[in-house]
Amino acid sequence: MITYNSTAKGRLSSFGSNLFLGAILFFLLTDYALAIPVNTDFDLVKERVVAEYLTSEVNAEAIEELLISQNPDGTWPGINYQDVSRTGFEHYFHTGNMVTLAKAYRQPNSKYKGSPKVKQAVTDALAHWVENDYFCDNWWHNQIGTPNNLVAVMLLLGDELPEELVKAAQPIIGRAHLNASGARPSGDRIKIAGILAKNLLFLGEKEKFEAVLKVIEGEIKFSTGSRGLQRDFSFHHRVDRVNNTSSYGLGYADAFVEWLVYTADTRYAFSSDKVAILVDYYLDGISKNLAFGKYLEAGAKNRSIARPGALHGLDAKTPRKLLQATDYRKVDLEEIVKIREEGIYKVTLSYAKYFWQTEFFTFQRPDYFTSVRMFSTRNDNMEVPYNSEGLKNHHRGDGTNHLSITGKEYFDIFPVMDFQKIPGTTILQKERLPDPDQIQKPGYTDFVGAVTDDLYGSVAFDFISPHDPLKAKKSWFFFDKEYVCLGAGINAKGKQAVFTTLNHLLLQGEVYAKVGQETKILERGKHEFKDLDWIYHDRVGYFMLAPQEVELSFGEVTGNWTTINQQTRAPQEDVTKDVFSLWVNHGNNVRQASYAYLILPNAGLEETKAYQFNDQIEILSNTPALQAVRHKQLLQVQANFYKAGKLDLGDGLELTMDGPGLVLLHLDDQNIVKMAVSDPSRKLDKMHFQLNSKLNLKGNKQQVEWDAEHWISKVTVQLPEGEFAGSSVILGD
């Protein structure tokens, strides 16, 4: 029989034994843990980079075809290995095939995982490349394209490739370095630095890797007046100050976001202020250069419109990555994700945004998006047709005004497009466009700009064509349901006619016209009107606000990509599409011509029939000195003064400007409740004007002197200077 005391003694004895054994086990486990390599931040970043490569699906049929078709010397048929020109260099298919095979070799769910046959195919392809070291006439392939693919192969498969082959590839990958000719402060610098950083991960060089990441983070900055991110959140890739926000600027952001995610929660993580700049740029720069924050937009694109599929919709990958990395502006990022994943019918965005550093204006409402592209003495008109792309882009900065309701209105129209009928432009109709080397030109005028209160806005373009003997004052006035386009002082010399194009897009459905009291469906072909009320096509109504000769053409048009793109990868076959074109014909030898029309977006036919623009819109002035519109329902006046002058605002109110400038007024009877002003010329530090109303607006940007005897408010507004010159000053609530 066991007594209490003996039991207690046994328990104590057992506890002591367990304690001793536990101590031994602790020291054994500690020694074992110390023997296991620690997964450092450096290793973690490398794992994340490799994991990103493996997110794409492996196409088994494509892998099998690459294996079967590969030649004994490691090449593939169908690639021209002799042509290393700027328009050729099909060699990127070769290095791209290597990456595809390497992914199949490493992908856990791939049937080719660890396949000796796949590894041998990559080995043969790499051996061929390092033996020949193909060098393109276009630096981009040498410093970005080829190194980027080769470093991917290294990270995916390099440890299993022959050592001498890996060493031989290093000088080729090494052309991506911070002193390379292409590593200029812009999107390409970040891409090159990113390739270098990945190679350092592969080589295990931690100190150099950390130094390169500091360079990458340091490039998240404003570079107004030079290459890179501008204060208005547009992006300049070159010193010509052409809008590159949705081309190079998109790659700039994606490269940062890539490393933001790779380095999150590690010693290499980006600082919060850099992350905030990146998010602001993505939302207020890139996304506001896109139709509905999703579709690449024709007005924002340059030579890349010569590539099939250039105006595709973006996926939600990048904004989702930003949401993983930060909570900053979370709601706005979630809105972009929702639009891209669920469709534009989910859009709730409304804004007016002017990129004053780039002469580009965008306007979004839940059911439509539109833009205006211009140039000035500060910005060249268009990108150079580098690498023989965009060969007819001469007039694509001449006050271009694209309109999107679905985001697909202009998708791949460009091989059949008439590049002298670009939406919004006023162009002298030449027999042929000048040579492509004449595309890029500086502007002749500085009165180019916009005024916005962030929700509404007007745009003014003192336009002098750099290609033709043509001048015009062009303005756009943007409201909620409609916008108004005015032109005045149109002068041109020569026998060729001058056209102002309302729209030039893909034909969708029937075309209706109201002439006099008659509304009818039009037949395909060309039509001319002298007393046209409106045209209706594809949920858009085009209203004529003044007598003018209007011409319309719609039907099949045949063209070819090679007329605008001489890259060897450009499709060679003819393309036929249905196209809709609507324009005002000003005739030839034009003197003081004008135009006035209104666009009613996303309207049904019955809504268009019922719309009475006189109930909504009043044109207050359309002269070379002043263009102004009053919206009767919104109680709003937008006025573009090209010089000092006086404007009757209605209801007994008068505005007197002491000099040029743009003004947006919100009215309440005889009171001004809110206003915005800007100086497109950027010559003034202050703007002076008078109103015959007692002005009492909040804000510290203005001084108001009330002259009770003459019942006049004398107003002085302090204008933005330096890198903010040309932006708007908003006064009031």
Side-chain angles (χ1 to χ4, degrees):
M1 183 177 180
I2 301 175
T3 64
Y4 176 81
N5 289 337
S6 63
T7 302
K9 183 179 179 180
R11 286 171 179 168
L12 289 171
S13 176
S14 174
F15 176 78
S17 298
N18 288 339
L19 182 64
F20 176 74
L21 290 172
I24 294 174
L25 181 61
F26 171 78
F27 286 114
L28 287 173
L29 288 174
T30 301
D31 289 342
Y32 176 73
L34 291 173
I36 299 175
V38 177
N39 189 17
T40 65
D41 285 350
F42 184 86
D43 298 321
L44 179 59
V45 172
K46 182 178 179 180
E47 288 175 7
R48 288 171 174 175
V49 172
V50 173
E52 180 66 20
Y53 285 130
L54 300 179
T55 56
S56 56
E57 294 288 332
V58 173
N59 185 327
E61 291 182 5
I63 299 299
E64 196 63 31
E65 177 61 28
L66 288 176
L67 295 173
I68 293 171
S69 63
Q70 189 179 36
N71 297 318
D73 65 351
T75 62
W76 278 276
I79 297 176
N80 183 346
Y81 286 89
Q82 285 69 51
D83 184 2
V84 294
S85 68
R86 299 178 69 88
T87 56
F89 207 73
E90 298 173 358
H91 307 70
Y92 68 90
F93 289 120
H94 181 105
T95 57
N97 290 345
M98 291 164 57
V99 176
T100 300
L101 289 166
K103 289 179 179 179
Y105 185 84
R106 283 291 302 271
Q107 177 62 258
N109 298 323
S110 167
K111 77 177 203 177
Y112 297 99
K113 185 179 187 301
S115 165
K117 191 174 181 180
V118 170
K119 183 167 76 170
Q120 189 60 51
V122 175
T123 301
D124 293 344
L126 182 58
H128 177 84
W129 193 274
V130 299
E131 181 181 351
N132 291 274
D133 191 11
Y134 294 107
F135 205 81
C136 183
D137 292 342
N138 181 355
W139 70 268
W140 185 93
H141 287 286
N142 308 321
Q143 298 178 23
I144 295 180
T146 297
N148 188 51
N149 283 341
L150 292 188
V151 81
V153 172
M154 294 299 111
L155 285 165
L156 290 165
L157 192 54
D159 292 337
E160 299 188 39
L161 294 175
E163 185 177 350
E164 66 276 10
L165 201 56
V166 171
K167 288 182 178 179
Q170 276 302 308
I172 302 175
I173 297 172
R175 289 173 185 144
H177 61 86
L178 295 180
N179 293 319
S181 62
R184 299 159 296 191
S186 66
D188 285 339
R189 181 175 177 83
I190 302 308
K191 290 177 183 177
I192 289 174
I195 295 166
L196 174 58
K198 290 178 182 178
N199 196 40
L200 293 170
L201 285 171
F202 170 70
L203 296 173
E205 298 189 15
K206 297 181 181 180
E207 290 184 5
K208 290 182 180 179
F209 172 76
E210 185 168 2
V212 171
L213 275 189
K214 292 295 183 183
V215 171
I216 292 175
E217 183 181 12
E219 285 296 310
I220 307 178
K221 62 183 180 181
F222 294 107
S223 304
T224 302
S226 60
R227 302 171 186 268
L229 179 59
Q230 308 299 299
R231 272 291 179 183
D232 59 2
F233 293 108
S234 62
F235 187 86
H236 294 164
H237 182 63
R238 301 182 180 89
V239 294
D240 56 16
R241 297 175 56 83
V242 168
N243 188 11
N244 293 123
T245 310
S246 61
S247 52
Y248 291 100
L250 190 60
Y252 169 89
D254 285 345
F256 280 133
V257 174
E258 180 183 24
W259 287 103
L260 175 66
V261 174
Y262 291 155
T263 61
D265 300 320
T266 71
R267 59 179 296 192
Y268 310 112
F270 293 171
S271 63
S272 59
D273 61 325
K274 297 291 188 179
V275 174
I277 293 173
L278 183 57
V279 172
D280 286 341
Y281 171 57
Y282 197 83
L283 290 170
D284 297 331
I286 288 173
S287 296
K288 289 183 179 178
N289 268 253
L290 306 173
F292 302 98
K294 176 176 181 177
Y295 291 100
L296 291 162
E297 200 264 339
K301 300 294 280 182
N302 299 299
R303 73 185 192 275
S304 63
I305 57 99
R307 304 168 192 167
L311 302 186
H312 62 275
L314 299 184
D315 60 30
K317 187 176 181 180
T318 297
R320 278 206 171 279
K321 285 183 176 181
L322 286 170
L323 283 167
Q324 292 172 14
T326 180
D327 287 332
Y328 178 64
R329 298 188 66 179
K330 180 179 179 181
V331 173
D332 296 329
L333 287 168
E334 288 174 340
E335 168 91 341
I336 297 298
V337 168
K338 184 178 293 186
I339 293 166
R340 295 187 186 176
E341 292 184 344
E342 300 181 25
I344 62 175
Y345 59 89
K346 295 289 185 181
V347 171
T348 60
L349 301 173
S350 288
Y351 63 79
K353 169 74 174 178
Y354 182 54
F355 297 92
W356 66 88
Q357 290 290 345
T358 305
E359 318 293 21
F360 187 57
F361 177 90
T362 62
F363 188 80
Q364 180 73 65
R365 287 298 181 265
D367 53 6
Y368 74 93
F369 172 94
T370 185
S371 68
V372 178
R373 178 170 182 161
M374 305 172 291
F375 60 95
S376 69
T377 53
R378 300 173 291 269
N379 301 62
D380 286 355
N381 63 332
M382 178 55 56
E383 183 181 60
V384 169
Y386 297 103
N387 306 319
S388 296
E389 294 179 304
L391 301 177
K392 296 184 178 181
N393 282 355
H394 303 72
H395 297 289
R396 291 192 53 246
D398 292 5
T400 310
N401 174 216
H402 290 90
L403 171 64
S404 294
I405 295 170
T406 66
K408 302 175 183 178
E409 285 79 3
Y410 309 97
F411 188 83
D412 282 355
I413 190 177
F414 304 105
V416 299
M417 186 172 191
D418 183 341
F419 282 85
Q420 296 191 94
K421 291 191 185 76
I422 300 169
T425 59
T426 300
I427 299 174
L428 188 74
Q429 302 296 300
K430 299 167 286 295
E431 292 183 6
R432 60 182 296 273
L433 288 167
D435 291 339
D437 63 2
Q438 296 298 307
I439 288 176
Q440 187 174 72
K441 299 285 185 180
Y444 293 129
T445 64
D446 57 22
F447 196 88
V448 180
V451 60
T452 81
D453 61 3
D454 297 330
L455 190 59
Y456 302 95
S458 73
V459 179
F461 190 12
D462 183 7
F463 173 60
I464 299 178
S465 173
H467 297 293
D468 304 311
L470 171 67
K471 298 180 180 181
K473 298 292 195 297
K474 297 172 67 70
S475 287
W476 296 260
F477 304 90
F478 295 90
F479 305 104
D480 287 320
K481 295 182 179 180
E482 64 278 283
Y483 63 94
V484 175
C485 309
L486 300 182
I490 303 173
N491 292 281
K493 297 178 181 179
K495 297 180 180 179
Q496 297 98 339
V498 174
F499 292 173
T500 294
T501 301
L502 282 70
N503 214 341
H504 182 69
L505 72 164
L506 297 173
L507 177 68
Q508 298 288 340
E510 302 284 4
V511 177
Y512 296 81
K514 182 184 179 186
V515 182
Q517 299 302 312
E518 182 183 6
T519 300
K520 57 184 177 181
I521 299 176
L522 300 178
E523 299 285 339
R524 288 179 172 231
K526 185 174 181 181
H527 304 264
E528 298 180 1
F529 308 95
K530 291 188 181 298
D531 55 352
L532 178 70
D533 289 333
W534 51 257
I535 291 284
Y536 178 82
H537 164 251
D538 195 21
R539 297 194 59 77
V540 179
Y542 303 89
F543 288 80
M544 306 305 132
L545 304 185
Q548 47 208 334
E549 293 190 12
V550 178
E551 297 181 3
L552 166 69
S553 177
F554 63 100
E556 283 190 356
V557 179
T558 298
N560 196 293
W561 286 101
T562 59
T563 63
I564 55 175
N565 184 345
Q566 292 180 0
Q567 291 277 315
T568 58
R569 64 179 176 268
Q572 304 296 305
E573 304 81 13
D574 282 349
V575 176
T576 300
K577 295 179 181 288
D578 285 342
V579 175
F580 170 96
S581 299
L582 179 65
W583 66 92
V584 175
N585 186 343
H586 301 289
N588 56 13
N589 282 312
V590 181
R591 295 292 180 270
Q592 296 300 320
S594 63
Y595 63 81
Y597 59 89
L598 177 149
I599 294 183
L600 184 68
N602 198 36
L605 177 60
E606 295 306 315
E607 182 181 353
T608 301
K609 289 179 178 179
Y611 182 81
Q612 299 293 322
F613 65 80
N614 287 327
D615 292 341
Q616 310 289 329
I617 298 296
E618 180 183 358
I619 298 176
L620 300 179
S621 179
N622 185 22
T623 71
L626 171 61
Q627 294 172 310
V629 171
R630 176 186 175 99
H631 196 291
K632 300 176 183 178
Q633 303 301 317
L634 292 176
L635 299 178
Q636 189 178 134
V637 171
Q638 299 178 12
N640 299 340
F641 288 83
Y642 294 92
K643 62 181 184 179
K646 182 180 291 187
L647 177 64
D648 184 347
L649 304 175
D651 297 325
L653 283 176
E654 281 188 348
L655 170 67
T656 303
M657 292 283 288
D658 288 2
L662 310 185
V663 181
L664 188 158
L665 302 170
H666 292 269
L667 310 171
D668 182 7
D669 293 327
Q670 291 189 322
N671 296 316
I672 308 296
V673 295
K674 183 179 180 180
M675 67 186 304
V677 300
S678 75
D679 169 30
S681 69
R682 311 184 192 188
K683 295 177 180 177
L684 307 175
D685 59 352
K686 296 178 181 178
M687 181 179 291
H688 304 277
F689 57 88
Q690 299 177 18
L691 281 162
N692 61 340
S693 172
K694 192 168 185 178
L695 195 62
N696 185 23
L697 296 177
K698 296 179 181 178
N700 57 6
K701 297 290 185 179
Q702 78 277 4
Q703 294 179 343
V704 181
E705 178 186 343
W706 172 241
D707 183 344
E709 181 180 354
H710 298 94
W711 201 258
I712 289 176
S713 291
K714 297 178 180 179
V715 185
T716 300
V717 180
Q718 185 70 44
L719 294 170
E721 296 180 296
E723 58 190 357
F724 292 96
S727 62
S728 297
V729 177
I730 302 172
L731 311 175
D733 296 331

